[in-house]
Amino acid sequence: MAKSSTAKLFFLSSLSSSFRLRYLTTATTRTSLSFTFTCSRNITTRASKSNKNKQKAKVVVTAAAKNSVVVKEKRRTRSDKALDEHAIQSYVGDGGAAAPHIPVMLGEVVDVFSSKPLRSFVDCTVGAAGHSSAIIQAHPELKLYFGMDVDPVAYEKARARIDAILNGDSCHPTSDLKTHTILKNFRHIKSVLSEVDKKLLDTGVDGILMDLGMSSMQVNDPERGFSVLGNGPLDMRMDPQASLRAEDILNSWPDTEVGRILREYGEESNWRSLQNKIVKARLHGGLHTTGEVADLIRNATPGTRGGRQGWIKTATRVFQALRIAVNDELKTLEDSLYSCFDCLAPGGRLAVISFHSLEDRIVKQTFLDIINSNEDGGDEEGRQRIELRKIRNDNGENEPWIKQMIQGYRGAILTKRPITPSEEEERLNRRCRSAKLRVIQKVERE
């Protein structure tokens, strides 16, 4: 009997729950089944609640993600100025056979200097004179103009362009406007001004512009060595009179220094692998053309990193790093920002257009250091004056591009967040996508 009962229970245990309910009628079995279904129901309920909580969590995460996107979007002060394509086309320069040179954020730059009379102006990177031409035509009261560039090709084009504007019928500047085009790097701005008039270092100039971008006439010329896609010599010198070339860095500098350049100036994550391949290339004659460097990068870039666009982006970062090292761009920029601010007249403005994060970081930090520096030695009286002296911005309604200001002892940053090109301009000129405009104004004397 015991064996039969055991067999029956074993048989029943293998059946479905509904079948077991029909045959197992003992109190113990009912209690056991009741406990089983209760636990199952509780587990199901908990699982359901868990799923709901997960769904709520997903909703919260999604909402948070959306909010984070919104916050990131707010950090980008995209220009809301309507793009005047006709005006831009009238200032387009000759960029060579491949593409014309289009001045970046032309309308925004003109707005920066439009609120006050502009009697003296310096374009530290005159290029094809697109910005300068617009400034000269927008300010008939302008008495003194300086156009500087270290590139002899840009210098010649700019001088011809400005002369054509002054002698043409398209503008009517005052007859006593004096223009000076100088073939020098903007690090020499103080000496350039003093050579024309030593008093300028005391009185200052009303406006200064620095456009740090590469001009199309430089990128489109393979012989300059700046282009990733065009094959040419490994030069990359802005000043042809300079001695250091990119070829010298790749073939003779210590491998650790080459790696540092790729890492710091190019912000390239694959720098160590590229460093090793560059050093190995020296055993086979070295690298002497941009095409050889591009081939090395293409072969060193994993296929999983975006295909053709992947290696081109890597090559762009490498070329940027080499160009910065050849021309000592970052140190020159930092030193020149201080010099330019010193050359400003009270109430004068310095506008800087940068094109990559390294430049923009230097401009941002240097501007902050300039306005917060206290030449009175940092005593208590000086600190009180820092709080009392502020830039007057009486033209706020007429200058909608000024969203938020940072005020300091020596001046004010008029662009707490940098201004970036409008969507319309980005569609017209893809090369302007990374541009950022920052503006600082010197304190007015009381």
Side-chain angles (χ1 to χ4, degrees), residues 131-175:
H131 291 110
S132 289
S133 300
I135 291 292
I136 290 173
Q137 290 186 317
H139 292 273
E141 75 279 9
L142 192 63
K143 304 295 183 183
L144 190 58
Y145 165 83
F146 293 86
M148 301 177 64
D149 209 298
V150 72
D151 188 330
V153 177
Y155 166 77
E156 292 295 338
K157 289 181 179 294
R159 188 169 65 172
R161 182 79 178 276
I162 292 171
D163 288 344
I165 289 176
L166 295 178
N167 298 325
D169 298 329
S170 58
C171 74
H172 303 281
T174 54
S175 58

Short mmCIF file of all heavy atoms in Angstrom, two decimals, residues 131-175:
data_model
loop_
_atom_site.label_atom_id
_atom_site.label_comp_id
_atom_site.label_asym_id
_atom_site.label_seq_id
_atom_site.Cartn_x
_atom_site.Cartn_y
_atom_site.Cartn_z
N HIS A 131 37.18 90.27 -43.67
CA HIS A 131 36.71 91.00 -42.50
C HIS A 131 37.13 92.47 -42.56
O HIS A 131 36.34 93.37 -42.25
CB HIS A 131 37.27 90.37 -41.22
CG HIS A 131 36.70 89.02 -40.91
ND1 HIS A 131 37.45 87.86 -41.01
CD2 HIS A 131 35.47 88.63 -40.53
CE1 HIS A 131 36.70 86.83 -40.68
NE2 HIS A 131 35.49 87.25 -40.39
N SER A 132 38.37 92.70 -42.96
CA SER A 132 38.87 94.08 -43.01
C SER A 132 38.08 94.94 -43.98
O SER A 132 37.77 96.10 -43.70
CB SER A 132 40.36 94.08 -43.41
OG SER A 132 41.17 93.59 -42.37
N SER A 133 37.76 94.37 -45.14
CA SER A 133 37.00 95.12 -46.13
C SER A 133 35.64 95.53 -45.58
O SER A 133 35.20 96.68 -45.77
CB SER A 133 36.81 94.26 -47.39
OG SER A 133 38.06 93.90 -47.94
N ALA A 134 34.98 94.62 -44.87
CA ALA A 134 33.67 94.92 -44.30
C ALA A 134 33.78 95.98 -43.21
O ALA A 134 32.92 96.88 -43.12
CB ALA A 134 33.04 93.64 -43.74
N ILE A 135 34.82 95.90 -42.39
CA ILE A 135 35.00 96.88 -41.32
C ILE A 135 35.26 98.26 -41.91
O ILE A 135 34.69 99.28 -41.46
CB ILE A 135 36.16 96.46 -40.39
CG1 ILE A 135 35.78 95.22 -39.58
CG2 ILE A 135 36.56 97.60 -39.47
CD1 ILE A 135 34.70 95.43 -38.56
N ILE A 136 36.12 98.34 -42.90
CA ILE A 136 36.45 99.63 -43.52
C ILE A 136 35.20 100.27 -44.12
O ILE A 136 34.95 101.47 -43.98
CB ILE A 136 37.54 99.46 -44.59
CG1 ILE A 136 38.88 99.12 -43.92
CG2 ILE A 136 37.69 100.72 -45.44
CD1 ILE A 136 39.99 98.76 -44.90
N GLN A 137 34.40 99.47 -44.79
CA GLN A 137 33.19 100.01 -45.42
C GLN A 137 32.12 100.37 -44.41
O GLN A 137 31.31 101.28 -44.65
CB GLN A 137 32.65 99.01 -46.43
CG GLN A 137 33.53 98.85 -47.66
CD GLN A 137 32.91 97.96 -48.72
OE1 GLN A 137 32.35 96.91 -48.40
NE2 GLN A 137 33.02 98.36 -49.97
N ALA A 138 32.10 99.67 -43.26
CA ALA A 138 31.08 99.94 -42.25
C ALA A 138 31.41 101.13 -41.35
O ALA A 138 30.54 101.62 -40.63
CB ALA A 138 30.87 98.69 -41.38
N HIS A 139 32.67 101.61 -41.42
CA HIS A 139 33.09 102.70 -40.52
C HIS A 139 33.78 103.82 -41.30
O HIS A 139 35.01 103.87 -41.40
CB HIS A 139 34.05 102.14 -39.45
CG HIS A 139 33.39 101.21 -38.48
ND1 HIS A 139 32.76 101.64 -37.34
CD2 HIS A 139 33.25 99.85 -38.50
CE1 HIS A 139 32.26 100.60 -36.69
NE2 HIS A 139 32.54 99.51 -37.38
N PRO A 140 33.00 104.73 -41.84
CA PRO A 140 33.58 105.86 -42.57
C PRO A 140 34.40 106.78 -41.66
O PRO A 140 35.20 107.58 -42.14
CB PRO A 140 32.36 106.58 -43.14
CG PRO A 140 31.22 106.15 -42.27
CD PRO A 140 31.53 104.76 -41.86
N GLU A 141 34.20 106.66 -40.34
CA GLU A 141 34.95 107.50 -39.41
C GLU A 141 36.35 106.95 -39.14
O GLU A 141 37.16 107.56 -38.43
CB GLU A 141 34.20 107.61 -38.07
CG GLU A 141 34.25 106.38 -37.17
CD GLU A 141 33.27 105.27 -37.54
OE1 GLU A 141 32.65 105.38 -38.61
OE2 GLU A 141 33.14 104.31 -36.76
N LEU A 142 36.68 105.77 -39.69
CA LEU A 142 37.97 105.12 -39.44
C LEU A 142 39.12 105.98 -39.98
O LEU A 142 39.11 106.40 -41.13
CB LEU A 142 37.98 103.75 -40.12
CG LEU A 142 39.12 102.79 -39.75
CD1 LEU A 142 39.08 102.43 -38.28
CD2 LEU A 142 39.04 101.52 -40.60
N LYS A 143 40.11 106.22 -39.11
CA LYS A 143 41.25 107.05 -39.47
C LYS A 143 42.53 106.25 -39.68
O LYS A 143 43.40 106.66 -40.45
CB LYS A 143 41.51 108.09 -38.37
CG LYS A 143 40.33 108.97 -38.04
CD LYS A 143 39.93 109.87 -39.20
CE LYS A 143 38.79 110.80 -38.81
NZ LYS A 143 38.35 111.62 -39.97
N LEU A 144 42.65 105.12 -38.96
CA LEU A 144 43.91 104.38 -38.99
C LEU A 144 43.61 102.89 -39.03
O LEU A 144 42.89 102.36 -38.18
CB LEU A 144 44.73 104.72 -37.75
CG LEU A 144 46.18 104.24 -37.70
CD1 LEU A 144 46.98 104.77 -38.87
CD2 LEU A 144 46.82 104.63 -36.37
N TYR A 145 44.17 102.20 -40.03
CA TYR A 145 43.94 100.77 -40.19
C TYR A 145 45.28 100.04 -40.32
O TYR A 145 46.19 100.49 -41.03
CB TYR A 145 43.09 100.48 -41.44
CG TYR A 145 43.12 99.03 -41.85
CD1 TYR A 145 42.27 98.10 -41.26
CD2 TYR A 145 44.02 98.58 -42.82
CE1 TYR A 145 42.32 96.75 -41.62
CE2 TYR A 145 44.08 97.24 -43.19
CZ TYR A 145 43.23 96.34 -42.58
OH TYR A 145 43.29 95.01 -42.93
N PHE A 146 45.37 98.88 -39.62
CA PHE A 146 46.53 98.01 -39.73
C PHE A 146 46.06 96.61 -40.14
O PHE A 146 45.13 96.06 -39.53
CB PHE A 146 47.26 97.88 -38.38
CG PHE A 146 47.91 99.15 -37.91
CD1 PHE A 146 47.18 100.09 -37.19
CD2 PHE A 146 49.24 99.41 -38.18
CE1 PHE A 146 47.77 101.25 -36.74
CE2 PHE A 146 49.84 100.58 -37.74
CZ PHE A 146 49.11 101.51 -37.02
N GLY A 147 46.72 96.06 -41.14
CA GLY A 147 46.46 94.68 -41.53
C GLY A 147 47.74 93.88 -41.45
O GLY A 147 48.72 94.18 -42.15
N MET A 148 47.76 92.85 -40.59
CA MET A 148 48.97 92.06 -40.37
C MET A 148 48.75 90.62 -40.83
O MET A 148 47.66 90.07 -40.69
CB MET A 148 49.34 92.06 -38.88
CG MET A 148 49.59 93.42 -38.29
SD MET A 148 49.94 93.34 -36.51
CE MET A 148 51.49 92.40 -36.52
N ASP A 149 49.81 90.03 -41.37
CA ASP A 149 49.78 88.61 -41.70
C ASP A 149 51.21 88.13 -41.89
O ASP A 149 52.03 88.85 -42.47
CB ASP A 149 48.95 88.32 -42.95
CG ASP A 149 48.33 86.93 -42.91
OD1 ASP A 149 49.09 85.94 -42.87
OD2 ASP A 149 47.10 86.83 -42.91
N VAL A 150 51.48 86.92 -41.43
CA VAL A 150 52.82 86.36 -41.55
C VAL A 150 53.01 85.64 -42.88
O VAL A 150 54.13 85.35 -43.29
CB VAL A 150 53.09 85.40 -40.37
CG1 VAL A 150 52.28 84.12 -40.52
CG2 VAL A 150 54.57 85.09 -40.24
N ASP A 151 51.89 85.37 -43.56
CA ASP A 151 51.93 84.65 -44.84
C ASP A 151 52.08 85.65 -45.98
O ASP A 151 51.22 86.51 -46.19
CB ASP A 151 50.62 83.87 -45.00
CG ASP A 151 50.65 82.93 -46.19
OD1 ASP A 151 51.33 83.25 -47.18
OD2 ASP A 151 50.00 81.88 -46.15
N PRO A 152 53.16 85.58 -46.77
CA PRO A 152 53.37 86.54 -47.85
C PRO A 152 52.30 86.49 -48.94
O PRO A 152 51.98 87.51 -49.54
CB PRO A 152 54.75 86.17 -48.41
CG PRO A 152 55.00 84.77 -47.96
CD PRO A 152 54.28 84.62 -46.66
N VAL A 153 51.75 85.31 -49.20
CA VAL A 153 50.69 85.19 -50.21
C VAL A 153 49.45 85.95 -49.74
O VAL A 153 48.85 86.73 -50.49
CB VAL A 153 50.35 83.72 -50.49
CG1 VAL A 153 49.19 83.61 -51.47
CG2 VAL A 153 51.57 82.98 -51.02
N ALA A 154 49.06 85.74 -48.48
CA ALA A 154 47.91 86.44 -47.93
C ALA A 154 48.17 87.94 -47.86
O ALA A 154 47.27 88.76 -48.15
CB ALA A 154 47.60 85.89 -46.54
N TYR A 155 49.37 88.30 -47.51
CA TYR A 155 49.73 89.71 -47.41
C TYR A 155 49.54 90.43 -48.75
O TYR A 155 48.95 91.52 -48.80
CB TYR A 155 51.19 89.82 -46.95
CG TYR A 155 51.81 91.18 -47.12
CD1 TYR A 155 51.51 92.22 -46.26
CD2 TYR A 155 52.72 91.41 -48.17
CE1 TYR A 155 52.09 93.47 -46.43
CE2 TYR A 155 53.30 92.65 -48.34
CZ TYR A 155 52.99 93.68 -47.47
OH TYR A 155 53.56 94.91 -47.64
N GLU A 156 50.01 89.83 -49.84
CA GLU A 156 49.87 90.45 -51.15
C GLU A 156 48.42 90.56 -51.57
O GLU A 156 47.99 91.59 -52.12
CB GLU A 156 50.67 89.66 -52.19
CG GLU A 156 52.19 89.72 -52.00
CD GLU A 156 52.73 91.13 -52.20
OE1 GLU A 156 52.06 91.95 -52.87
OE2 GLU A 156 53.83 91.41 -51.68
N LYS A 157 47.67 89.50 -51.34
CA LYS A 157 46.24 89.53 -51.71
C LYS A 157 45.48 90.58 -50.90
O LYS A 157 44.62 91.30 -51.42
CB LYS A 157 45.61 88.15 -51.50
CG LYS A 157 46.07 87.09 -52.50
CD LYS A 157 45.38 85.77 -52.24
CE LYS A 157 45.83 84.72 -53.27
NZ LYS A 157 45.37 85.06 -54.64
N ALA A 158 45.79 90.67 -49.60
CA ALA A 158 45.09 91.62 -48.74
C ALA A 158 45.40 93.06 -49.14
O ALA A 158 44.52 93.91 -49.20
CB ALA A 158 45.50 91.38 -47.29
N ARG A 159 46.66 93.32 -49.42
CA ARG A 159 47.04 94.69 -49.80
C ARG A 159 46.34 95.11 -51.09
O ARG A 159 45.83 96.24 -51.19
CB ARG A 159 48.56 94.79 -49.96
CG ARG A 159 49.03 96.21 -50.17
CD ARG A 159 50.54 96.32 -50.07
NE ARG A 159 51.22 95.58 -51.13
CZ ARG A 159 52.53 95.65 -51.34
NH1 ARG A 159 53.30 96.38 -50.53
NH2 ARG A 159 53.10 94.95 -52.31
N ALA A 160 46.30 94.20 -52.07
CA ALA A 160 45.62 94.52 -53.33
C ALA A 160 44.12 94.72 -53.11
O ALA A 160 43.51 95.61 -53.71
CB ALA A 160 45.87 93.41 -54.34
N ARG A 161 43.56 93.89 -52.23
CA ARG A 161 42.12 93.98 -51.98
C ARG A 161 41.75 95.30 -51.30
O ARG A 161 40.78 95.95 -51.67
CB ARG A 161 41.71 92.80 -51.09
CG ARG A 161 40.22 92.72 -50.77
CD ARG A 161 39.46 92.13 -51.94
NE ARG A 161 38.05 92.00 -51.66
CZ ARG A 161 37.51 90.96 -51.02
NH1 ARG A 161 38.28 89.97 -50.59
NH2 ARG A 161 36.20 90.91 -50.84
N ILE A 162 42.51 95.69 -50.31
CA ILE A 162 42.22 96.92 -49.58
C ILE A 162 42.42 98.14 -50.47
O ILE A 162 41.62 99.09 -50.45
CB ILE A 162 43.08 97.00 -48.31
CG1 ILE A 162 42.64 95.92 -47.32
CG2 ILE A 162 42.99 98.38 -47.66
CD1 ILE A 162 43.54 95.76 -46.14
N ASP A 163 43.47 98.11 -51.28
CA ASP A 163 43.70 99.23 -52.20
C ASP A 163 42.54 99.35 -53.19
O ASP A 163 42.11 100.46 -53.52
CB ASP A 163 45.01 99.01 -52.97
CG ASP A 163 46.23 99.22 -52.09
OD1 ASP A 163 46.08 99.81 -51.01
OD2 ASP A 163 47.33 98.77 -52.49
N ALA A 164 42.04 98.19 -53.64
CA ALA A 164 40.91 98.22 -54.59
C ALA A 164 39.67 98.81 -53.95
O ALA A 164 38.91 99.55 -54.59
CB ALA A 164 40.64 96.82 -55.10
N ILE A 165 39.45 98.49 -52.69
CA ILE A 165 38.26 99.00 -51.99
C ILE A 165 38.39 100.51 -51.77
O ILE A 165 37.44 101.27 -51.98
CB ILE A 165 38.07 98.28 -50.65
CG1 ILE A 165 37.62 96.84 -50.90
CG2 ILE A 165 37.05 99.00 -49.77
CD1 ILE A 165 37.47 96.01 -49.66
N LEU A 166 39.56 100.95 -51.37
CA LEU A 166 39.75 102.38 -51.12
C LEU A 166 39.65 103.20 -52.39
O LEU A 166 39.19 104.35 -52.36
CB LEU A 166 41.11 102.60 -50.46
CG LEU A 166 41.31 102.00 -49.06
CD1 LEU A 166 42.72 102.28 -48.57
CD2 LEU A 166 40.29 102.56 -48.09
N ASN A 167 40.06 102.62 -53.50
CA ASN A 167 40.05 103.37 -54.77
C ASN A 167 38.81 103.11 -55.61
O ASN A 167 38.65 103.70 -56.68
CB ASN A 167 41.29 103.01 -55.59
CG ASN A 167 42.57 103.38 -54.89
OD1 ASN A 167 42.63 104.40 -54.20
ND2 ASN A 167 43.61 102.56 -55.03
N GLY A 168 37.94 102.23 -55.12
CA GLY A 168 36.75 101.89 -55.89
C GLY A 168 35.57 102.77 -55.56
O GLY A 168 35.65 103.69 -54.74
N ASP A 169 34.46 102.46 -56.21
CA ASP A 169 33.24 103.25 -56.02
C ASP A 169 32.31 102.62 -54.99
O ASP A 169 31.27 103.20 -54.66
CB ASP A 169 32.48 103.39 -57.35
CG ASP A 169 33.32 104.12 -58.39
OD1 ASP A 169 34.12 104.99 -57.98
OD2 ASP A 169 33.16 103.80 -59.60
N SER A 170 32.67 101.42 -54.49
CA SER A 170 31.75 100.71 -53.61
C SER A 170 31.70 101.29 -52.21
O SER A 170 30.77 101.06 -51.46
CB SER A 170 32.14 99.23 -53.52
OG SER A 170 33.48 99.11 -53.05
N CYS A 171 32.74 102.04 -51.82
CA CYS A 171 32.70 102.66 -50.50
C CYS A 171 33.28 104.06 -50.59
O CYS A 171 34.01 104.39 -51.53
CB CYS A 171 33.47 101.83 -49.47
SG CYS A 171 35.26 101.92 -49.64
N HIS A 172 32.96 104.88 -49.60
CA HIS A 172 33.44 106.26 -49.60
C HIS A 172 34.05 106.57 -48.24
O HIS A 172 33.51 107.34 -47.46
CB HIS A 172 32.27 107.21 -49.89
CG HIS A 172 31.60 106.91 -51.19
ND1 HIS A 172 32.12 107.30 -52.41
CD2 HIS A 172 30.47 106.22 -51.46
CE1 HIS A 172 31.31 106.89 -53.38
NE2 HIS A 172 30.32 106.22 -52.84
N PRO A 173 35.20 105.97 -47.97
CA PRO A 173 35.85 106.28 -46.70
C PRO A 173 36.39 107.70 -46.70
O PRO A 173 36.56 108.31 -47.74
CB PRO A 173 36.98 105.26 -46.64
CG PRO A 173 37.30 104.97 -48.06
CD PRO A 173 35.99 105.06 -48.79
N THR A 174 36.65 108.18 -45.52
CA THR A 174 37.18 109.52 -45.43
C THR A 174 38.55 109.57 -46.10
O THR A 174 39.31 108.62 -46.07
CB THR A 174 37.32 109.93 -43.95
OG1 THR A 174 38.08 108.94 -43.28
CG2 THR A 174 35.96 110.05 -43.29
N SER A 175 38.87 110.70 -46.66
CA SER A 175 40.08 110.81 -47.46
C SER A 175 41.34 110.69 -46.62
O SER A 175 42.41 110.42 -47.14
CB SER A 175 40.09 112.15 -48.21
OG SER A 175 40.00 113.23 -47.28
#
